[in-house]
């Protein structure tokens, strides 16, 4: 079974704090993705990575950065958290360009006060 | 711009009452269409991938079909445990394997 894990299920942070969300997959997948999910807006892609040290902007990258130093790990960074970044954050991975089904982690619900 | 529209937004069924969820899409070139199931507070769970018009896939009480403009997720004789939000996503013929998601259909099956 594909396993995608996220470091926290729930997180509460204060405005201005630096926030790290970690994602790890155990299936040697090449591609990894970060989404946020908000009521009425659906899933929106923040950043993705198709190789170690490579990153590409998604639809809503503003206010976020990412890091992929190892193949299995993809980190999402909120440099200075704001209340409008309160959301459900979902990480996903997919094997490669020939097998493109994305498998999701359980999500991190982030509340920024 | 690629667009994915799911309907209805919400659907309430009685146990055993079959129905269909719709996913219509407008894309430049479809590489694949994906269906996911999402339970409250959890990440989406992969159900099906469809690649070409006329293709069908089945899993238990679920059957997904694809035409050139839309996909249907048919639910036959649903049970309360089928209650969830069903998400549709499309992948286009471009350099990266990203998905564009619809907003989902929330299904509630009452006993």
């Amino acid at each position: 079974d594909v396993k995608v894990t996220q470091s926290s299920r729930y997180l509460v942070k204060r405005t201005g704090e630096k926030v790290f969300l970690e994602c790890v997959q155990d299936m040697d997948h090449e591609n990894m993705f970060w989404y946020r999910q908000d009521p009425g807006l659906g899933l929106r892609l923040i950043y993705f990575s198709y190789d170690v040290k490579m990153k590409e902007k998604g639809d809503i990258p503003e206010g976020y950065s990412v890091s992929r130093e190892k193949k299995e790990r993809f980190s999402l960074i909120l440099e200075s958290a704001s209340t409008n970044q309160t959301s459900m954050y979902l990480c996903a991975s997919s094997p490669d360009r020939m097998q493109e089904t994305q498998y999701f982690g359980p999500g991190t619900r982030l509340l920024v006060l | 711009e690629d667009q994915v529209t799911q309907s209805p937004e919400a659907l309430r069924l009685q146990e055993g009452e079959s129905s269909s969820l719709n996913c219509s899409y407008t894309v430049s070139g479809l590489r694949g269409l994906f269906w996911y199931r999402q339970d409250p507070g959890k990440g989406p769970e992969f159900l099906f991938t469809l690649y070409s018009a006329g293709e069908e896939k089945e899993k238990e009480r679920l059957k997904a079909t694809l035409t050139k403009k839309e996909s249907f997720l048919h639910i036959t004789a649903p049970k309360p445990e089928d209650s969830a939000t069903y998400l549709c996503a499309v992948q286009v013929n471009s350099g990266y394997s990203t998905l564009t998601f619809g907003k989902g259909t929330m299904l509630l099956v009452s006993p």
Side-chain angles (χ1 to χ4, degrees):
Chain A
D1 274 356
V2 176
K3 192 89 182 269
V4 180
T5 57
Q6 295 183 228
S7 50
S8 306
R9 292 302 309 275
Y10 301 95
L11 213 50
V12 180
K13 296 292 181 180
R14 297 233 174 249
T15 301
E17 279 193 78
K18 191 168 186 176
V19 181
F20 292 86
L21 302 182
E22 300 281 330
C23 175
V24 177
Q25 50 92 5
D26 67 356
M27 290 302 293
D28 200 36
H29 285 179
E30 290 185 2
N31 305 322
M32 296 188 75
F33 307 83
W34 274 108
Y35 295 87
R36 63 177 285 176
Q37 185 175 33
D38 302 286
L41 296 177
L43 274 145
R44 294 178 291 167
L45 182 63
I46 304 172
Y47 267 98
F48 64 100
S49 168
Y50 53 89
D51 201 352
V52 175
K53 297 193 185 294
M54 304 302 288
K55 61 183 179 183
E56 293 290 336
K57 293 180 180 179
D59 300 317
I60 51 163
E62 297 78 19
Y64 303 94
S65 62
V66 290
S67 172
R68 194 168 181 201
E69 296 297 317
K70 293 185 178 181
K71 190 175 185 179
E72 68 271 18
R73 190 178 298 269
F74 193 33
S75 302
L76 180 69
I77 304 154
L78 287 66
E79 295 288 344
S80 177
S82 63
T83 55
N84 62 13
Q85 292 178 310
T86 291
S87 186
M88 173 72 135
Y89 289 88
L90 290 159
C91 175
S93 70
S94 66
D96 53 42
R97 284 201 60 194
M98 298 304 293
Q99 302 173 71
E100 293 158 334
T101 300
Q102 291 185 22
Y103 298 91
F104 284 82
T108 295
R109 190 166 293 281
L110 172 67
L111 173 62
V112 182
L113 300 173
Chain B
E1 183 181 334
D2 302 327
Q3 287 196 324
V4 181
T5 304
Q6 291 188 247
S7 61
E9 290 184 14
L11 180 63
R12 185 165 191 160
L13 299 173
Q14 290 294 121
E15 184 171 2
E17 179 187 1
S18 301
S19 187
S20 296
L21 313 183
N22 178 263
C23 172
S24 63
Y25 59 90
T26 306
V27 298
S28 52
L30 182 71
R31 180 187 287 180
L33 186 140
F34 299 78
W35 282 99
Y36 288 84
R37 169 194 169 123
Q38 187 174 25
D39 292 305
K42 296 187 177 181
E45 175 189 346
F46 170 71
L47 293 173
F48 304 110
T49 309
L50 302 166
Y51 292 104
S52 56
E55 190 175 358
E56 298 182 351
K57 295 241 175 112
E58 285 189 67
K59 181 179 180 179
E60 296 180 356
R61 295 176 292 283
L62 301 177
K63 178 179 171 181
T65 62
L66 181 66
T67 73
K68 289 186 178 179
K69 293 184 179 180
E70 57 193 347
S71 176
F72 292 94
L73 185 65
H74 307 278
I75 304 175
T76 302
K79 297 182 177 182
E81 52 262 42
D82 294 322
S83 297
T85 295
Y86 290 85
L87 300 171
C88 167
V90 297
Q91 190 172 55
V92 299
N93 288 322
S94 70
Y96 300 119
S97 57
T98 60
L99 298 179
T100 300
F101 280 85
K103 294 182 181 179
T105 293
M106 185 184 300
L107 174 66
L108 177 62
V109 182
S110 302

